[in-house]
Amino acid sequence: MKKYQLHRQPSDIKVDYEKDLNPEQLAAVMHQSGPALVLAGAGTGKTRVVTYRVARLVETGTRPENILLLTFTNKAAKEMMRRAEQLIGRNISGLSGGTFHHVANLILRRHYLAGGYRQGFSILDREDSKELFEACIAEVSGKDSVLPRGSVFAEICSLSKNTELEIPDIVISRFPHFENTLEKIGSIIALYEKKKLELNLMDFDDLLVKWKTIFTEHADIRELYSQKFRHILVDEYQDTNRLQADIIDLSIGGEKNLMVVGDDAQSIYSFRGADFENILRFPERYRDTAIFKLTTNYRSTPEILYLANRVISQNRKQFAKELKSVMQSGESPNVVALKDVFEEAEFAASVIMDMNSDGRSFDDMAILYRSHYQSMQMQMEFQRRGIPFEIRSGLKFFEQAHIKDILSYLKIIVNPFDEIGWKRVLKLIRGIGNATAGKIWGSIRSSEDPVVAVFAADRLIPRKSTEGFTAFLDLMRELKDGKYLSSPSGAIDHILRHGYEEYLYANYPNAEMRIEDIEQMMRFSIRYNALDTFLSDLALQGVAGTEADDDEKAGGKVVLSTVHQAKGLEWKVVFIIGMNDGRFPSAKSLKNDDEEEERRLFYVGATRAKEALYLCYPISSDDWSAIGFLRPSRFIKELPADCYEETVVEDV
């Protein structure tokens, strides 16, 4: 084993690095100087390396105030600093640690004038930013109902700043629904930026933009901090965006003591603006980079890692590495073909119930999927069987706002006297709030048929809502046709395609995901030929209710989560469902040539499993508009046969 010489007296060194770290970790921690890239594979002790690196720097003479530790949560930075203090037995509170935004705020509070601001500037949270955009929209657009709402504007603006792309590029690539309103969108964003300066306000993204601006335009300030931060450490570097990478490049001093830690194989957040090229091209930007690879995995069995290694080896753009396990050998991963999504849910629920009966805690198991809509059938099956579960990918399916909106339309078709349903759908019309919705309901509640009476309520509508209310009446005129009472899927499709889809695009940055949810409910409802039965079944199963899960039930809860939300977590048993081409990888990613990121996402999902991994895919389509069979995911088909066992499900 290689021995490292420390530049302090032996009595000053309290940490036994060679004892506490494996050889790969030790090499990274003991790196002397200059740029370093630590490629930390899944489950290889990344946090341990960063913590010991901080301890080692302080023990060998670096003052804590000369260290900058950048992480993606302030909690992570505090925990690393706390552990480092415990290791070396001394206070390191002078160390600057936290998120990019946290550090940016500290710098800008001191150099606000250089950023073009006055003392005591305020920081807008996401809700504040949305409201300021709403004010700008009202000032510029008047009654224009085609424009997106404030939340969508905030997302467009944020993506533009973090990816350093122009507004038109963001709109065309991410929000093509509004491509025809580019000029007005630009005017509104320009007004938003002007108002922030006038009001001495910054949003979260401005913190990073101004940090970069100050360091670019004021060499003296940049030099001040490059002298202060003699060592910079960046955690989760694969998740940085272009703006953050530029800030790091501007912040390092002449010695280039920069250590970035991350895993190119787990770069899965491009939709948030993360730039995979940052980590991939790091050695090109810093020619003398020392590269360290952490490949000893302390989480998963050799069988699971064998599959994961074979998966990621298919990617061309990567730093090749082979994870190796220190765990005992276990069972091979299982690939399971199911008849449809209903059988898929039944299979997963049955295996989970059997494992729980054998003593396995529900807390030890997770269901992972590519998109949140894929959890619907699983939630219903778990609810039916009384399996306790926790949703990590958002709200429970039927508690989501867009699902409740659609159900409200359906409810007033079946029961025209549903006050809650009426008020909810009326408030979807731009310009109608609680007061106007209450007046409309008051005018129709005593009529023989409120659906008919609502056509005479136009006198109660504010002028700015006339266009939206007219469209609403057109929809209600068609929905009251008796044919939709026998076609829940037809009713859902009609509501979506006649106004609600536009509403989603205008109000939510993730409109496409919400549309997927609604389409999934549409697929489920195809089994019903009566709208009232469909609604009753949802209510009677308790899926559409708001009661909390039974926390008293022994064994905790099974986690249901997208793979994105599951990154950094682990379970003994993992099911990845919906492993079909067009679902995982998603159809959108294949269209946009993002197959390699989808494969990295699958790799992340597989490496969450410690002891058992089930890859499930339905054979027949549950899409009401499609005929035929679904193909297994290309990620399964490209696996060697010795990576897994095929599990056959038989009816008993």
Side-chain angles (χ1 to χ4, degrees):
M1 182 181 294
K2 184 177 180 180
K3 302 291 184 180
Y4 293 88
Q5 300 298 319
L6 304 177
H7 301 291
R8 298 193 66 179
Q9 295 299 315
S11 59
D12 293 328
I13 304 299
K14 294 185 177 181
V15 181
D16 190 340
Y17 295 95
E18 294 187 8
K19 177 183 177 182
D20 292 353
L21 304 171
N22 69 36
E24 294 171 336
Q25 295 169 340
L26 182 66
V29 168
M30 295 301 179
H31 173 67
Q32 295 300 316
S33 61
L37 171 61
V38 181
L39 297 167
T44 59
K46 169 181 68 67
T47 300
R48 189 176 186 83
V49 166
V50 177
T51 301
Y52 274 75
R53 174 66 176 175
V54 170
R56 188 258 173 181
L57 288 173
V58 175
E59 280 204 313
T60 54
T62 301
R63 296 167 62 88
E65 53 266 36
N66 294 140
I67 301 173
L68 173 62
L69 172 59
L70 291 169
T71 60
F72 275 79
T73 66
N74 289 319
K75 180 180 178 182
K78 289 178 181 177
E79 180 61 18
M80 290 177 188
M81 292 163 63
R82 184 189 66 80
R83 292 186 190 180
E85 284 184 335
Q86 289 180 335
L87 284 173
I88 63 178
R90 75 176 74 166
N91 185 294
I92 59 170
S93 59
L95 186 150
S96 297
T99 65
F100 282 83
H101 296 86
H102 172 74
V103 175
N105 180 54
L106 297 177
I107 292 173
L108 289 168
R109 291 295 172 189
R110 183 176 178 184
H111 304 287
Y112 53 87
L113 290 176
Y117 279 78
R118 301 186 297 278
Q119 187 174 14
F121 63 83
S122 299
I123 300 174
L124 298 170
D125 61 22
R126 199 67 164 180
E127 189 64 27
D128 295 332
S129 180
K130 183 183 80 172
E131 290 182 8
L132 184 57
F133 263 120
E134 290 288 356
C136 296
I137 293 167
E139 189 172 327
V140 171
S141 67
K143 301 175 184 177
D144 195 335
S145 59
V146 179
L147 286 167
R149 300 299 295 267
S151 57
V152 180
F153 265 103
E155 184 72 7
I156 292 171
C157 197
S158 178
L159 282 171
S160 174
K161 290 175 180 177
N162 285 293
T163 59
E164 300 186 332
L165 294 174
E166 298 296 326
I167 294 295
D169 295 328
I170 295 296
V171 173
I172 292 169
S173 63
R174 301 288 190 98
F175 303 91
H177 198 72
F178 299 106
E179 188 173 342
N180 293 332
T181 59
L182 271 174
E183 184 176 348
K184 192 161 282 189
I185 286 174
S187 298
I188 290 169
I189 290 177
L191 179 59
Y192 170 77
E193 298 294 344
K194 179 183 177 184
K195 282 184 177 292
K196 282 189 299 176
L197 275 174
E198 291 174 348
L199 299 171
N200 206 31
L201 301 172
M202 285 192 197
D203 59 32
F204 282 127
D205 302 307
D206 290 329
L207 292 170
L208 301 190
V209 171
K210 295 302 178 183
W211 182 358
K212 178 181 176 180
T213 299
I214 289 172
F215 276 26
T216 301
E217 298 178 356
H218 299 271
D220 56 331
I221 298 176
R222 175 184 172 182
E223 180 65 20
L224 173 70
Y225 285 95
S226 67
Q227 289 295 319
K228 174 178 173 59
F229 299 136
R230 308 300 294 272
H231 287 271
I232 299 178
L233 291 83
V234 185
D235 190 23
E236 301 286 8
Y237 187 73
Q238 80 280 348
D239 294 336
T240 56
N241 56 45
R242 189 173 299 178
L243 176 58
Q244 290 165 331
D246 288 347
I247 288 170
I248 294 167
D249 292 346
L250 288 166
S251 300
I252 61 171
E255 296 176 348
K256 296 184 179 180
N257 288 326
L258 169 64
M259 176 175 282
V260 300
V261 183
D263 184 7
D264 59 298
Q266 298 186 74
S267 178
I268 58 174
Y269 293 116
S270 64
F271 69 96
R272 293 181 186 170
D275 192 342
F276 176 67
E277 298 294 331
N278 286 348
I279 191 167
L280 194 65
R281 295 183 175 177
F282 186 84
E284 295 177 17
R285 293 211 312 278
Y286 297 92
R287 296 293 181 180
D288 52 347
T289 294
I291 300 178
F292 303 93
K293 295 182 180 182
L294 308 184
T295 60
T296 304
N297 178 282
Y298 295 90
R299 176 189 299 153
S300 306
T301 63
E303 289 77 10
I304 291 172
L305 289 188
Y306 180 55
L307 180 144
N309 286 330
R310 300 287 77 73
V311 166
I312 204 64
S313 68
Q314 300 293 325
N315 274 7
R316 290 177 310 222
K317 294 182 178 180
Q318 64 168 313
F319 294 101
K321 56 183 176 297
E322 190 94 356
L323 297 186
K324 51 185 182 293
S325 176
V326 299
M327 310 300 289
Q328 291 184 347
S329 183
E331 62 182 76
S332 294
N334 298 272
V335 171
V336 192
L338 290 312
K339 182 173 63 177
D340 52 30
V341 293
F342 302 101
E343 187 174 85
E344 182 179 54
E346 291 170 4
F347 168 76
S350 296
V351 173
I352 286 170
M353 291 290 284
D354 289 344
M355 288 184 172
N356 183 250
S357 297
D358 291 339
R360 175 86 72 188
S361 170
F362 286 124
D363 281 336
D364 289 336
M365 296 177 273
I367 306 286
L368 304 183
Y369 34 84
R370 173 63 179 84
S371 302
H372 183 56
Y373 78 84
Q374 294 173 295
S375 71
M376 174 187 165
Q377 191 55 47
M378 202 65 65
Q379 291 184 44
M380 297 187 72
E381 185 67 22
F382 280 18
Q383 193 85 28
R384 186 177 71 82
R385 295 194 185 213
I387 299 174
F389 63 94
E390 175 187 355
I391 305 293
R392 295 276 181 86
S393 52
L395 295 172
K396 288 187 176 181
F397 193 88
F398 290 94
E399 293 175 357
Q400 299 176 103
H402 49 292
I403 297 298
K404 295 178 76 172
D405 289 344
I406 297 292
L407 291 178
S408 292
Y409 277 108
L410 301 181
K411 287 174 181 178
I412 62 177
I413 298 173
V414 173
N415 173 22
F417 299 94
D418 187 325
E419 177 182 356
I420 297 174
W422 271 108
K423 289 183 175 178
R424 186 175 188 97
V425 298
L426 286 168
K427 287 189 291 185
L428 296 176
I429 301 169
R430 182 171 290 195
I432 292 183
N434 288 323
T436 303
K439 290 178 182 178
I440 296 172
W441 170 247
S443 73
I444 66 175
R445 63 185 299 176
S446 301
S447 62
E448 185 176 335
D449 185 351
V451 176
V452 174
V454 76
F455 287 87
D458 53 345
R459 57 186 171 78
L460 301 172
I461 303 301
R463 185 176 300 177
K464 62 183 177 181
S465 303
T466 301
E467 182 181 344
F469 188 68
T470 300
F472 169 74
L473 292 180
D474 290 341
L475 175 60
M476 294 308 299
R477 185 177 291 110
E478 295 170 355
L479 287 178
K480 71 185 183 71
D481 187 322
K483 67 180 180 181
Y484 288 117
L485 293 174
S486 60
S487 178
S489 62
I492 295 170
D493 182 56
H494 195 79
I495 294 165
L496 179 62
R497 309 304 173 193
H498 290 77
Y500 193 71
E501 189 172 29
E502 285 73 17
Y503 169 83
L504 290 175
Y505 277 117
N507 286 272
Y508 298 108
N510 61 345
E512 290 182 354
M513 293 173 59
R514 293 172 187 261
I515 292 170
E516 283 182 339
D517 289 341
I518 295 169
E519 290 176 339
Q520 181 68 8
M521 181 169 64
M522 192 190 312
R523 296 178 192 122
F524 174 75
S525 69
I526 196 71
R527 308 171 81 195
Y528 292 84
N529 57 16
L531 187 53
D532 57 349
T533 305
F534 171 67
L535 292 171
S536 296
D537 277 6
L538 296 186
L540 290 173
Q541 289 186 47
V543 181
T546 56
E547 292 184 7
D549 290 324
D550 183 4
D551 290 325
E552 301 301 318
K553 190 150 188 171
K557 300 177 182 179
V558 180
V559 167
L560 275 64
S561 174
T562 62
V563 179
H564 283 107
Q565 292 291 331
K567 185 174 178 293
L569 305 176
E570 59 184 44
W571 296 271
K572 291 183 179 179
V573 181
V574 169
F575 296 79
I576 305 181
I577 63 172
M579 290 297 305
N580 299 94
D581 262 10
R583 297 183 178 182
F584 201 165
S586 70
K588 183 178 180 181
S589 69
L590 295 178
K591 181 180 177 181
N592 295 335
D593 196 27
D594 291 334
E595 181 180 317
E596 292 213 349
E597 178 158 335
E598 290 288 295
R599 189 175 287 107
R600 294 195 294 270
L601 187 62
F602 177 44
Y603 172 84
V604 168
T607 54
R608 299 311 94 196
K610 298 168 71 174
E611 298 175 6
L613 176 64
Y614 292 84
L615 307 178
C616 305
Y617 66 93
I619 296 173
S620 62
S621 174
D622 60 339
D623 189 338
W624 66 280
S625 64
I627 300 175
F629 294 97
L630 296 171
R631 291 182 297 178
S633 170
R634 62 193 61 196
F635 302 150
I636 291 178
K637 293 174 71 174
E638 67 194 17
L639 290 172
D642 62 347
C643 278
Y644 60 88
E645 291 184 4
E646 291 191 51
T647 298
V648 178
V649 177
E650 299 178 346
D651 292 329
V652 294

